[in-house]
C-alpha cells in the first residue's frame, strides 16, 4: 500500500505561539529581576550570554542527533558538505569553535564592564538561565516531532543561533556608547533587543521547517 506524508500532517502553527509566549515571559522575568535587584543594564548581559550558550548547545545536539538530515546548498571550503555522520561531526565541531570564540570575546567585554555577579545576583542569573533553558527544551522537543518527517538542513541549524550574537553586539554598542551603559532606558533597550531576537529565531525555525516540509516529496 502507498503511504504519503502530507504537509498538513504536522501543524506547526500552535508551536510558535506557545513558544513566543514563553520567550516573552522569560525576558520579562529578566527585566523584572534586574529592576528588583537594581542591576545596571550591563548585568543583564550575563544571563543573555549564558542563554546564548544554551541555544548553541541545543544546536549542536540537533546537528548530531536529528533523525534525518540534508545539506542542500551547504558547502565548506567550496565543497558540498556530505549528509553523513562525518558531515554532522565536522559541522558541529566548526560551529562549536566559531560560536565559542565569539562568546569568549563577548565575555571579555561583559567582564570588563562589571565583572561576574556575586551573591543573590549570581543565583538570580542561574535561575533566569534555567527558566530559559526549560522553555527552549520544550521548543526543541516540538521541532523534533517535525524532524521525524522532514530532513533538517545542517547549514540552517548552524546559522540560526548567530541571531543571538547580533542583538548582543548591538546592546554593547548602543547601550554602552549611546546610553552610557546606565539607566532604565538602557534596561528596556537590552530587553527589547533580546526579546526581538528570541522571537525572530523561534519563528524562523518553524517557518523553515514548514517550507522544507512543503518541498519534501511524498514518501512511499
Amino acid at each position: 500500500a502507498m503511504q504519503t506524508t502530507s504537509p498538513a500532517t504536522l501543524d506547526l502553527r500552535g508551536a510558535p505561539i506557545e513558544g513566543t509566549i514563553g520567550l516573552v515571559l522569560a525576558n520579562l522575568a529578566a527585566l523584572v529581576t534586574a529592576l528588583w535587584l537594581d542591576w545596571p543594564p550591563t548585568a543583564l548581559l550575563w544571563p543573555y550570554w549564558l542563554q546564548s550558550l544554551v541555544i548553541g548547545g541545543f544546536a549542536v545536539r540537533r546537528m548530531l542527533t536529528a533523525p534525518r538530515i540534508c545539506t542542500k546548498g551547504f558547502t565548506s571550503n567550496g565543497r558540498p558538505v556530505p549528509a553523513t555522520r562525518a558531515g554532522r561531526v565536522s559541522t558541529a565541531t566548526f560551529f562549536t569553535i566559531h560560536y565559542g570564540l565569539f562568546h569568549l570575546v563577548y565575555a571579555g567585554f561583559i567582564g570588563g564592564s562589571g565583572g561576574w555577579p556575586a551573591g543573590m545576583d549570581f543565583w538570580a542569573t542561574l535561575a533566569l538561565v534555567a527558566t530559559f533553558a526549560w522553555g527552549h527544551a520544550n521548543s526543541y522537543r516540538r521541532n523534533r516531532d517535525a524532524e521525524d518527517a522532514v530532513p533538517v538542513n545542517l547549514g540552517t541549524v548552524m546559522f540560526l543561533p548567530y541571531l543571538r550574537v547580533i542583538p548582543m553586539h548591538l546592546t554593547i554598542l548602543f547601550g554602552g556608547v549611546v546610553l552610557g551603559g546606565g539607566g532604565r532606558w538602557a534596561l528596556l533597550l537590552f530587553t527589547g533587543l533580546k526579546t526581538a531576537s528570541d522571537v525572530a529565531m523561534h519563528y524562523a525555525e518553524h517557518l523553515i521547517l514548514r517550507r522544507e516540509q512543503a518541498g519534501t516529496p511524498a514518501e512511499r
Side-chain angles (χ1 to χ4, degrees):
M2 179 183 296
Q3 295 182 341
T4 61
T5 301
S6 168
T9 302
L10 294 173
D11 185 2
L12 299 177
R13 290 174 297 178
I17 295 175
E18 294 176 5
T20 298
I21 294 174
L23 289 170
V24 171
L25 290 177
N27 285 291
L28 182 60
L31 177 61
V32 171
T33 300
L35 294 173
W36 177 47
L37 296 177
D38 197 26
W39 282 355
T42 51
L44 268 180
L45 291 176
W46 279 120
Y48 293 172
W49 182 82
L50 290 169
Q51 288 173 6
S52 296
L53 296 184
V54 171
I55 294 295
F58 275 104
V60 170
R61 181 179 177 183
R62 189 183 234 170
M63 293 176 205
L64 295 175
T65 66
R68 300 171 61 194
I69 62 170
C70 71
T71 56
K72 181 179 180 181
F74 183 36
T75 61
S76 177
N77 295 323
R79 298 179 179 179
V81 176
T84 61
R85 179 66 183 175
R88 290 177 184 261
V89 172
S90 63
T91 301
T93 301
F94 173 81
F95 171 81
T96 300
I97 295 173
H98 193 266
Y99 196 74
L101 288 176
F102 262 114
H103 283 76
L104 281 177
V105 172
Y106 279 119
F109 277 111
I110 300 170
S113 66
W116 180 256
M120 183 180 293
D121 292 344
F122 173 79
W123 292 108
T125 297
L126 289 185
L128 291 173
V129 175
T131 300
F132 180 86
W134 178 81
H136 194 71
N138 288 334
S139 176
Y140 175 84
R141 284 192 291 268
R142 287 181 177 275
N143 286 339
R144 283 300 295 266
D145 291 340
E147 289 165 10
D148 287 336
V150 184
V152 173
N153 190 298
L154 283 181
T156 299
V157 175
M158 187 183 77
F159 287 114
L160 280 176
Y162 285 95
L163 288 177
R164 288 297 180 275
V165 175
I166 296 172
M168 198 177 298
H169 184 68
L170 292 176
T171 295
I172 292 173
L173 289 178
F174 289 98
V177 177
V178 177
L179 298 177
R184 294 195 171 188
W185 284 111
L187 276 174
L188 293 173
L189 173 67
F190 286 17
T191 306
L193 286 171
K194 175 61 164 46
T195 304
S197 171
D198 285 337
V199 172
M201 194 182 88
H202 182 64
Y203 270 89
E205 288 179 351
H206 287 280
L207 288 174
I208 290 170
L209 280 174
R210 294 179 77 180
R211 183 182 64 187
E212 291 182 350
Q213 182 186 25
T216 301
E219 297 181 347
R220 298 180 180 225

